[in-house]
Structure formats: C-alpha cells, structure tokens
Amino acid sequence: MSLVFPVILGSVRQGRNGLRAARYLVQALESRGHEAPLVDPAELALPLLTRMYKEYPKGEAPEPLERLAALYRRADGFVVVSAEYNHSIPPALSNTLDHFLEEYFWRPSAIVCYSAGRYGGVRAAMQLRAMLGELGTPSIPSLLPIPEVHKALDEEGRPLQPWLERPTGRFLDELTWYAEAMREKRRGGVPY
C-alpha cells in the first residue's frame, strides 16, 4: 500500500551532509512504492516564525507555507532528518517544523539523525523526540542514526557502507506499520 512520507531536512548549511541522508531516505521510501517528497528549508526559504500557518487569514500565507500545508495534509507520516548542533536540533529544522501544528496530528514521525562523528547525532534526536510529540506527530520508538555520514553515503545518497541497509529496512518497516495503523484509525475519526 502506497503511503506519503515527506522527508523533512533540517540543515541549510553550505556543503551540508544532511542532504546525503535525506536523499538516501527519499530513495529508500520510493523503492518501497511510497511517495517521499523532500522538504528542504534551503529551497523553501521560509521566513523566521512570526506567526504559524494557521494564524494567516485564509489564502494569505506565503506560498511555500501553503504548499507545505497541502503536502502535510496528505501525509501518512513524516521522516525528519536532523544533524546535531550544540547537542540540540538545527535552528532551520525547528523553524520549518514550528510553522505547523494540526497538519501533523495523528500521524507518526521517524527520526533519522546523523553526524560527521561516531555518535550519529543521537543527542539531538532525544530533544527532537520530545518536540515531535508536542507537535502531535509522535516518533516511532526506533531511530536511524548515521554516524560518519560522509563515509556512509555519497553525495547522491547512495550507501557506501553495507551495514546501513539492515537497520534502514527495519526502521522503515516500523514506520510503515505505525503509519498504516494510524491511517486506519484516522478514517474512523480522531479524539478531537
């Protein structure tokens, strides 16, 4: 069954390695028959959050926000790709996520974290898990950390290390399970 999983990238830095991880996830999801549009804050150039999407009068939100709101309403879940900045999440990711709220409700999220070092960005993932739950898109229990991302993936997101395939498969199996279960429950109505 085809599902829609926006892949939300968190970095806007020049030469960012996160694009490797985001491309890898897009390809992995598409190879399973899912729709996986890349949400790239560098391309969107969203304004700093001064008001949420829902606070704009109907039809007056900036075009990138309207486009994202339409995509998020179709989504069955979200894949969030995050680096670790100062043991926390990147500011561009927080800004991208915080523009929305109800559009996330009753859909699971999955956290892919990465770093140039050996820890794979997991300290940021812990803070991101709390944030995603507060936004209404609780994260699945598993994480997909990618340490030494520049050695694990090439610039196009192709794996350079054979170890990556097995945890990616299990991670996406889990996300799919949660997304299908929550989609079925949404069809029957939501608590509020």
Side-chain angles (χ1 to χ4, degrees):
M1 183 182 310
S2 180
L3 299 167
V4 178
F5 293 113
V7 176
I8 304 170
L9 176 58
S11 178
V12 294
R13 282 185 167 175
Q14 292 182 347
R16 58 200 169 144
N17 283 316
L19 198 48
R20 296 171 187 237
R23 288 174 174 156
Y24 173 64
L25 268 297
V26 167
Q27 293 164 19
L29 287 161
E30 288 177 346
S31 74
R32 291 171 167 240
H34 301 310
E35 184 181 341
L38 178 60
V39 176
D40 184 349
E43 290 180 6
L44 291 168
L46 295 175
L48 288 177
L49 180 64
T50 56
R51 58 181 160 167
M52 296 176 71
Y53 170 75
K54 68 180 183 178
E55 295 170 323
Y56 285 93
K58 189 169 178 65
E60 293 185 23
E63 189 277 331
L65 291 180
E66 291 289 358
R67 194 169 8 112
L68 278 182
L71 171 61
Y72 289 179
R73 285 187 207 105
R74 292 189 314 109
D76 294 294
F78 303 92
V79 175
V80 180
V81 179
S82 181
E84 181 178 316
Y85 286 23
N86 300 318
H87 297 198
S88 188
I89 66 173
L93 179 57
S94 181
N95 189 62
T96 301
L97 291 170
D98 283 340
H99 275 88
F100 298 95
L101 190 61
E102 289 86 354
E103 292 77 10
Y104 299 122
F105 285 3
W106 319 114
R107 294 161 174 84
S109 60
I111 300 170
V112 178
C113 48
Y114 66 91
S115 71
R118 295 183 182 253
Y119 294 111
V122 295
R123 291 176 291 206
M126 296 303 99
Q127 293 186 25
L128 187 55
R129 190 179 299 264
M131 180 182 188
L132 292 169
E134 188 63 27
L135 289 172
T137 177
S139 66
I140 64 172
S142 294
L143 299 173
L144 181 62
I146 306 175
E148 298 181 327
V149 66
H150 58 292
K151 295 178 183 177
L153 300 165
D154 73 12
E155 289 186 12
E156 298 306 312
R158 292 181 296 258
L160 299 172
Q161 302 290 330
W163 66 263
L164 194 52
E165 290 181 33
R166 185 168 184 258
T168 300
R170 292 176 58 120
F171 177 76
L172 294 180
D173 287 346
E174 186 176 331
L175 173 60
T176 300
W177 189 93
Y178 276 91
E180 288 175 346
M182 292 177 85
R183 180 166 71 176
E184 190 60 33
K185 289 298 287 183
R186 280 195 314 276
R187 287 180 178 156
V190 295
Y192 55 85

